[in-house]
Amino acid sequence: IEVTTTSGVTSAGGTFVYRQYTGDGSTTAYSVSTSCDANTIIVTQNGVVQAPGTAYNMSPSPSTNLIFTEAPAIADKIDIRFL
């Protein structure tokens, strides 16, 4: 699993944090840097927004453990953005 943590700047001057992972076809659990619930993050897989509660959940909620319902495929790009 490849992990990248980045802090960026929004156009309004605030900051946001996101993490990037690369799927390996078997991992369903990913760690995030801040405890949150599924509705306070945006998760994309290969640029497609994933539905909280359907594609992934935080376990327990709130927590730092993001759990996908199905493991992202090998080389899938996963982005997790904190709101």
Side-chain angles (χ1 to χ4, degrees):
I1 297 173
E2 179 182 322
V3 179
T4 304
T5 301
T6 306
S7 179
V9 178
T10 65
S11 60
T15 61
F16 66 92
V17 174
Y18 73 94
R19 294 194 69 134
Q20 291 182 314
Y21 295 94
T22 302
D24 64 6
S26 62
T27 301
T28 58
Y30 294 86
S31 178
V32 297
S33 57
T34 304
S35 183
C36 59
D37 64 47
N39 294 317
T40 61
I41 57 175
I42 297 174
V43 177
T44 60
Q45 192 171 338
N46 295 325
V48 177
V49 175
Q50 302 299 299
T54 303
Y56 69 92
N57 275 301
M58 303 305 290
S59 181
S61 184
S63 77
T64 59
N65 303 310
L66 184 141
I67 310 295
F68 279 100
T69 306
E70 295 182 24
I74 294 172
D76 275 2
K77 299 298 179 193
I78 303 156
D79 288 316
I80 304 167
R81 289 179 174 81
F82 298 87
L83 303 175

